[in-house]
Amino acid sequence: ITVGTGLGYTIVDTKRTQWDIAGGPAYQATRFVSVEQGENLEEDTFAAVIGTFYEVEVTKKIDFSFNYNTTWGNKESGGYTHHMVATFENELTGSFDLDISLVWDHISNPTAGDDGVVPLNDDYRLTLGISYEY
């Protein structure tokens, strides 16, 4: 859980494009599912958060959005992390939309589980979503 406050600035705000940046201090509480024996199941830290959001209307039926955040905390809570979501929103018909997203999560200092295995630093997901609006 990360709770923070910050300041932001809108770089671009037109009919087709929006681009915002923001950043500020935060407090981060990390609760692990499992850790090696003798390690803490909970870590709390003050952190710094910086992020950006960008959205553009590529065509009348296709929008692209990019959301990126990075958080810098202490080593015990994972160090610095990145979270990025890039999405193409496609209007198939007046009521149906198809969204395709790539999600990337990175943690600089993953914590080993109770089995001693350290997770990989990077996690990637490709998601497809179909929505109906009425």
Side-chain angles (χ1 to χ4, degrees):
I1 298 171
T2 304
V3 178
T5 186
L7 296 174
Y9 183 75
T10 299
I11 296 172
V12 177
D13 188 8
T14 66
K15 284 177 73 171
R16 293 188 55 227
T17 305
Q18 178 183 345
W19 184 15
D20 301 321
I21 58 171
Y27 174 78
Q28 185 176 32
T30 306
R31 307 294 180 254
F32 299 102
V33 174
S34 69
V35 294
E36 291 182 311
Q37 190 171 6
E39 297 294 323
N40 294 330
L41 275 170
E42 301 177 1
E43 290 293 340
D44 300 329
T45 184
F46 287 101
V49 178
I50 296 174
T52 188
F53 175 76
Y54 177 79
E55 186 173 45
V56 64
E57 183 181 301
V58 179
T59 68
K60 266 185 127 173
K61 295 187 176 245
I62 299 174
D63 293 340
F64 173 75
S65 64
F66 178 82
N67 192 1
Y68 171 80
N69 291 299
T70 184
T71 304
W72 291 290
N74 65 9
K75 184 177 178 182
E76 294 78 17
S77 65
Y80 64 88
T81 62
H82 303 281
H83 176 72
M84 186 267 316
V85 180
T87 302
F88 280 100
E89 301 168 4
N90 304 284
E91 183 183 318
L92 299 176
T93 67
S95 300
F96 282 100
D97 290 346
L98 172 67
D99 294 349
I100 303 168
S101 297
L102 174 65
V103 180
W104 170 56
D105 287 305
H106 173 85
I107 185 166
S108 66
N109 191 45
T111 299
D114 58 2
D115 57 2
V117 175
V118 178
L120 296 174
N121 296 77
D122 295 294
D123 212 9
Y124 300 95
R125 294 181 304 282
L126 181 66
T127 64
L128 301 173
I130 296 175
S131 62
Y132 176 74
E133 187 177 323
Y134 55 94

